[in-house]
Amino acid sequence: RVLFDTATSYYYLCDFEQALSHWNDCLRILKAHTGGNDKADDSEYRKSMFRRGIILYCLASARNAIADEYQPEIIMLLNESRSLLSSSKDNPIAAYLDFMTGHFIYQTASQIPVRLRPQLPRNIRLSPSTIDGLSWDGLCQEALALFEKVKAVCWFEPSMGAHNGNEIRNLPLSAHLCLKRGQVYEIIGEVDKALDSYMDAINMYRIACGHINIYAASVLHSMGVLCAHSQGRDHEHHALGYFNEALTIRKSLLGGNDRRVADSLYCSAIVLARLNRYESSMERYHEALRIQMSVVGQSSNEVALTLAGMGLCHYSHRAFELSLTCLVGALKVRKHRISRLTGEAERAKTIEDNFGTTSSSIKSFHFFKLDNIYDEEVALGVIYFNLGNVYMQLGDHSQAMQHFIQARDLRWRHVGGGSTDKILDRYLFGNSVDEDELLGLAHCLHNIGVLFDIKKDYKRSLPHYEEALAIKNAIAGYVASDSAALLAPAAADANDSGDLVMRSLDEDIELPEINKATFSAAMTRTKMASVYAKRKQYELALFHYSHALRIQRQVLGRDHFITSLLLTNMGNVLRRTPARNTETAIMCYNESLRISRVRFGPNHERVASALFNLGGVYDSRRNFDKAVQYYVRALSVYKSRYAQDLRRRLCAGFEGPMSQKSFDNEENGPVVLSTGDEVILKRAAASEEQIREQYMLVTKALRNAAKQDMIQRGGGTVSYSGSNDWWLTFEVLLFRFVEMLSNYVVDPTQAAVRNTIETTRQKIESAAHHAIITAKDALDYNFLLMLQE
């Protein structure tokens, strides 16, 4: 009895090792007492068995508290405890056993990989044995049913206050019960019910332990994770609020060097990165990494995740060298972990082979390690893929190809290998195929196609795009209805290209439910259309553009800038077809112009580009009057931007080169790196050279169109008069003069001043190491710093 009370005290102090030691001693004494007393009084024997059942339950609780990995021995302890306590009529004890059983069922369900959940009843054996044969949904429902059963016996109702002694006794279990129900609702995807249960748990923990307590912080952290994984920008703001509150509580109670503090820092950094708060995100990443390196070691899973997250954050803000450094670090950690786990699994297999199948714990350990290796390889494949994207942005296409191929080979093995058709047969007919890895394989094939596309090796890029599209179509559910043609590009008729484009512009088709592969399939179609256009197979290009447009409009809406780019490309292809569908091309350009104006305003290069394209169409149709009107409007935008660039160069002072960041807009498109929907070679807004070239191009087109318009009218009144032409000539000469002044006078002068300042600073800093700086030197140095600012 003394040992039991001492162990219980250690348990409440969270010293689970000491609690286990004392409860084991207690169990040893009870076994010895009943072992030699076979003819003892039956009531005394039942009391002894009851005590043993209680101790076994306590041992299961303590071992579960310190277990980092799956341990079937804990389930065995719980089953033995349940059998010993089965004759007890004490309802609270039965409720506690039900709660613990429900907890282990939840743990079992949460640890089953998503790819295996649909086939659970067929080939997986579970403990406790009472849940064998249940589907994965059945496991979750069984856990919820047990929790409801516990609630009927032991429940604290917050609205009734803390006046009833029995109610107070049930308060801790009720709080845990709400937490576990929330966890079950979370894994089955019922977000609202999970959040409600988590909030109930927080309220009860605060009634029991005060407003600031570690249990409430843990639940707040779980709510942040749930909101971060949900869709919608508001959810991300809610997630950040939950993480910040959890972080504040954890820092105040645990200090600044605890693993749980690092968890909240890491998760909040991910959300901050999504909200484009780059500096705040990196601060939290660095703090989390420092804690993780000191607490759990540099080869831990946490360190690998944080380094990978830092790499993605740097990538999204175009810091590609920093991204490369972080991702290479994450790669080294993953490789080390896989090597270590592989060795442990091989040793466990050797022991199993030597001792036969008598040791169920060794077999369970072996399969657990194999599953861990799979998870590590999945994470390794993501890092390989992300490194390929970084190398692509850095222009190192050979390294990019190498990493994409490594990611592809890993994922190909994870989905069972074989040809794409065989893999899809297994996927579509319900066999074990990890859908996430299958989509990852499609992303790898897509990006390998992009690299061949960059090299203009279209014969090798198209097969990769086609395989990627077949996989994405299967996952997106494009199998019937209007999407029948989506799977059969050969059905495109050269005479129907205009009609196909018109339908895609006018009709909104009913596609299958949007999922993670829907938009990605549209991006692959866009790439295929681009290749067909380069090969002058315009009908097939329009076929893929049309279907991509339908999908993009359903996923992104009718006013998204990516849709405007696709419409421009469609217009360009329509002008090149043998039928020269200029009317349809005008419709595409007009829609692109409308979206660009809505999205960027009237004075953006995208708007000018659309105007120039429209002018080109009317020019080709010999409608020079209308062409001149569009050229003039496009020229006004380019002229304004060209003048701004020249003025900036003349007035830059001592700032040095202007950062491109100020001209980077989100119109370049999202770069999705972790899943790889599409590698968009992100570029800054048009450079000075591009703006000058576009200005000169529009000027030349305008002059030619005005001249042709004058000839067509027989020298009569024209929309662009001779005086305007003279003014345009003067304007071009003026711009060229200012540009030459910048190139040959202003830029060399600024470079010389900067070099002088830098040389002087280096001399002063060098002298500071060897002599005391005089007051005059200090004043000169401060003046130079102020001058630079």
Side-chain angles (χ1 to χ4, degrees):
R1 191 163 291 189
V2 172
L3 284 168
F4 182 86
D5 291 341
T6 306
T8 305
S9 299
Y10 276 123
Y11 182 86
Y12 287 135
L13 291 171
C14 296
D15 190 346
F16 302 115
E17 297 287 353
Q18 287 288 346
L20 277 174
S21 175
H22 285 75
W23 273 325
N24 278 322
D25 286 341
C26 190
L27 184 62
R28 176 181 53 80
I29 293 171
L30 281 175
K31 284 182 177 179
H33 178 69
T34 56
N37 197 13
D38 294 336
K39 297 182 180 180
D41 182 81
D42 187 55
S43 62
E44 286 297 323
Y45 180 79
R46 284 199 303 272
K47 287 181 181 178
S48 179
M49 292 298 103
F50 178 81
R51 291 168 183 159
R52 284 175 62 177
I54 295 294
I55 293 172
L56 288 169
Y57 170 83
C58 294
L59 285 170
S61 301
R63 294 190 67 167
N64 178 67
I66 61 176
D68 291 329
E69 300 175 344
Y70 175 72
Q71 293 186 1
E73 292 84 356
I74 300 176
I75 302 292
M76 293 169 61
L77 287 172
L78 189 63
N79 286 340
E80 189 177 354
S81 171
R82 178 178 288 277
S83 66
L84 291 173
L85 297 172
S86 59
S87 60
S88 172
K89 297 181 180 180
D90 192 329
N91 289 334
I93 288 179
Y96 272 84
L97 282 169
D98 287 337
F99 173 79
M100 188 62 76
T101 303
H103 164 70
F104 280 118
I105 292 175
Y106 155 73
Q107 275 195 331
T108 301
S110 64
Q111 290 175 4
I112 295 171
V114 176
R115 67 186 187 280
L116 297 179
R117 289 173 182 175
Q119 54 179 330
L120 180 59
R122 292 200 292 272
N123 58 5
I124 296 180
R125 304 292 293 174
L126 301 168
S127 292
S129 58
T130 53
I131 61 175
D132 277 345
L134 288 177
S135 66
W136 185 82
D137 288 331
L139 286 178
C140 296
Q141 295 305 320
E142 179 68 17
L144 287 173
L146 285 169
F147 293 146
E148 285 297 323
K149 189 177 176 183
V150 175
K151 181 179 178 181
V153 177
C154 301
W155 182 248
F156 174 82
E157 184 56 52
S159 60
M160 294 178 62
H163 304 296
N164 190 320
N166 290 327
E167 291 283 344
I168 290 293
R169 184 181 65 180
N170 295 333
L171 176 57
L173 182 60
S174 298
H176 296 327
L177 199 59
C178 292
L179 171 62
K180 290 300 169 186
R181 288 172 63 192
Q183 290 173 339
V184 176
Y185 284 131
E186 180 176 349
I187 64 172
I188 63 178
E190 298 191 21
V191 176
D192 293 335
K193 288 184 178 180
L195 289 173
D196 290 341
S197 296
Y198 282 146
M199 190 56 68
D200 291 340
I202 290 174
N203 293 334
M204 290 190 184
Y205 282 134
R206 284 176 168 167
I207 293 173
C209 309
H211 188 77
I212 297 177
N213 66 83
I214 200 64
Y215 305 106
S218 297
V219 182
L220 285 165
H221 180 87
S222 298
M223 293 175 74
V225 172
L226 181 58
C227 288
H229 289 162
S230 303
Q231 298 293 325
R233 192 173 180 84
D234 289 340
H235 278 175
E236 289 178 345
H237 286 288
H238 290 317
L240 185 60
Y242 292 135
F243 285 135
N244 285 338
E245 190 173 355
L247 182 62
T248 301
I249 296 174
R250 285 178 167 179
K251 279 188 172 180
S252 65
L253 297 178
L254 304 172
N257 204 39
D258 188 87
R259 187 174 185 174
R260 287 163 286 185
V261 173
D263 289 342
S264 293
L265 286 167
Y266 166 75
C267 293
S268 60
I270 294 175
V271 177
L272 286 167
R274 292 178 186 170
L275 295 172
N276 293 320
R277 295 168 60 178
Y278 176 60
E279 292 82 4
S280 300
S281 175
M282 291 312 303
E283 285 178 7
R284 296 203 177 185
Y285 271 131
H286 281 292
E287 190 177 354
L289 185 63
R290 176 191 62 78
I291 297 170
Q292 290 162 350
M293 295 281 279
S294 63
V295 175
V296 294
Q298 63 183 9
S299 62
S300 64
N301 181 54
E302 290 92 332
V303 168
L305 288 173
T306 301
L307 286 170
M310 293 169 72
L312 296 180
C313 188
H314 284 310
Y315 181 94
S316 64
H317 289 79
R318 302 181 59 80
F320 299 126
E321 295 290 349
L322 291 173
S323 176
L324 181 63
T325 302
C326 294
L327 289 173
V328 168
L331 181 68
K332 291 178 179 178
V333 176
R334 289 292 176 200
K335 284 184 174 179
H336 172 76
R337 289 177 59 81
I338 289 173
S339 176
R340 179 172 56 81
L341 287 170
T342 302
E344 291 176 358
E346 288 175 353
R347 287 192 293 273
K349 185 67 168 62
T350 302
I351 295 173
E352 181 186 342
D353 291 340
N354 292 337
F355 293 94
T357 59
T358 56
S359 178
S360 61
S361 61
I362 291 176
K363 290 184 68 177
S364 298
F365 176 80
H366 172 61
F367 287 116
F368 181 81
K369 290 298 178 186
L370 290 178
D371 201 51
N372 275 357
I373 292 171
Y374 180 88
D375 293 338
E376 291 288 339
E377 286 184 347
V378 168
L380 182 65
V382 172
I383 294 173
Y384 276 135
F385 182 82
N386 293 342
L387 278 168
N389 286 339
V390 174
Y391 280 119
M392 186 185 291
Q393 297 288 359
L394 292 172
D396 192 344
H397 295 154
S398 62
Q399 283 289 333
M401 181 68 79
Q402 178 183 338
H403 284 84
F404 284 141
I405 289 173
Q406 288 176 302
R408 180 202 64 186
D409 293 344
L410 263 178
R411 288 167 169 172
W412 212 303
R413 177 160 55 84
H414 289 167
V415 297
S419 66
T420 304
D421 291 338
K422 290 183 178 179
I423 292 171
L424 290 179
D425 285 342
R426 289 197 297 269
Y427 171 74
L428 294 172
F429 293 103
N431 291 326
S432 174
V433 175
D434 188 336
E435 187 175 89
D436 291 331
E437 285 297 276
L438 183 60
L439 184 57
L441 173 61
H443 294 324
C444 292
L445 292 167
H446 175 101
N447 284 5
I448 292 171
V450 170
L451 286 173
F452 284 125
D453 201 346
I454 292 171
K455 297 176 181 179
K456 299 183 179 179
D457 190 352
Y458 305 130
K459 288 184 179 179
R460 299 178 73 182
S461 66
L462 268 177
H464 285 88
Y465 286 144
E466 288 166 355
E467 286 187 306
L469 182 62
I471 294 172
K472 292 176 181 180
N473 279 340
I475 297 174
Y478 296 147
V479 292
S481 68
D482 186 78
S483 299
L486 290 170
L487 297 173
D493 188 345
N495 299 319
D496 293 339
S497 59
D499 294 338
L500 187 63
V501 174
M502 289 294 293
R503 288 202 304 272
S504 68
L505 286 170
D506 297 336
E507 299 175 10
D508 290 327
I509 64 170
E510 278 295 324
L511 294 176
E513 183 180 354
I514 296 173
N515 62 21
K516 55 192 173 185
T518 305
F519 181 72
S520 188
M523 299 311 293
T524 300
R525 283 192 174 276
T526 303
K527 285 293 185 183
M528 293 178 70
S530 173
V531 172
Y532 282 125
K534 292 169 186 174
R535 298 177 68 176
K536 299 184 179 181
Q537 295 175 272
Y538 299 124
E539 309 306 328
L540 285 173
L542 288 173
F543 175 87
H544 288 287
Y545 274 140
S546 299
H547 286 301
L549 178 62
R550 294 183 177 193
I551 296 171
Q552 285 189 6
R553 280 185 163 179
Q554 182 170 356
V555 176
L556 303 175
R558 301 182 71 90
D559 298 332
H560 199 277
F561 67 90
I562 291 180
T563 305
S564 73
L565 291 176
L566 194 149
L567 286 163
T568 300
N569 292 334
M570 288 176 69
N572 294 339
V573 173
L574 282 164
R575 292 171 61 185
R576 299 190 186 108
T577 57
R580 294 192 177 276
N581 297 293
T582 53
E583 287 295 338
T584 313
I586 289 172
M587 292 180 63
C588 292
Y589 287 142
N590 275 322
E591 182 66 5
S592 176
L593 176 62
R594 182 193 67 79
I595 295 170
S596 298
R597 280 175 171 165
V598 169
R599 188 67 183 80
F600 307 115
N603 298 316
H604 195 272
E605 301 97 276
R606 288 273 174 82
V607 175
S609 177
L611 290 167
F612 178 71
N613 288 330
L614 282 165
V617 175
Y618 286 111
D619 201 340
S620 67
R621 298 177 66 180
R622 303 189 64 79
N623 189 346
F624 299 115
D625 183 20
K626 205 153 190 176
V628 166
Q629 296 176 27
Y630 281 109
Y631 286 146
V632 168
R633 291 159 65 187
L635 184 65
S636 66
V637 177
Y638 285 128
K639 177 173 66 177
S640 174
R641 184 60 194 279
Y642 190 19
Q644 288 177 9
D645 290 341
L646 290 175
R647 183 171 64 249
R648 180 174 56 81
R649 289 181 62 184
L650 286 173
C651 304
F654 298 101
E655 291 178 328
M658 182 81 168
S659 170
Q660 285 287 351
K661 185 177 179 182
S662 60
F663 293 103
D664 268 351
N665 287 309
E666 60 181 332
E667 72 266 17
N668 296 307
V671 178
V672 183
L673 187 61
S674 58
T675 59
D677 276 350
E678 162 73 346
V679 174
I680 298 175
L681 297 180
K682 195 173 180 183
R683 52 186 173 83
S687 65
E688 292 179 15
E689 183 179 355
Q690 290 172 326
I691 291 293
R692 181 173 62 82
E693 291 175 355
Q694 291 163 350
Y695 173 79
M696 295 300 178
L697 184 65
V698 177
T699 301
K700 182 179 179 181
L702 175 59
R703 283 176 167 171
N704 290 337
K707 182 179 178 180
Q708 293 296 325
D709 189 27
M710 183 179 294
I711 294 172
Q712 194 177 62
R713 291 171 181 267
T717 304
V718 294
S719 59
Y720 200 75
S721 65
S723 60
N724 287 332
D725 186 63
W726 280 106
W727 174 251
L728 182 60
T729 303
F730 171 73
E731 187 181 87
V732 170
L733 291 173
L734 179 63
F735 278 148
R736 285 183 176 176
F737 171 75
V738 174
E739 188 169 2
M740 291 175 65
L741 183 67
S742 299
N743 289 335
Y744 296 107
V745 179
V746 177
D747 290 350
T749 302
Q750 291 177 0
V753 171
R754 283 195 296 269
N755 290 336
T756 303
I757 292 174
E758 186 63 28
T759 303
T760 306
R761 177 164 43 232
Q762 290 174 358
K763 288 180 179 178
I764 294 175
E765 289 176 349
S766 176
H769 293 291
H770 305 286
I772 298 174
I773 299 178
T774 64
K776 182 177 180 301
D777 292 331
L779 287 173
D780 289 342
Y781 184 64
N782 287 332
F783 172 73
L784 288 171
L785 291 178
M786 292 171 64
L787 183 64
Q788 183 190 21
E789 292 175 0

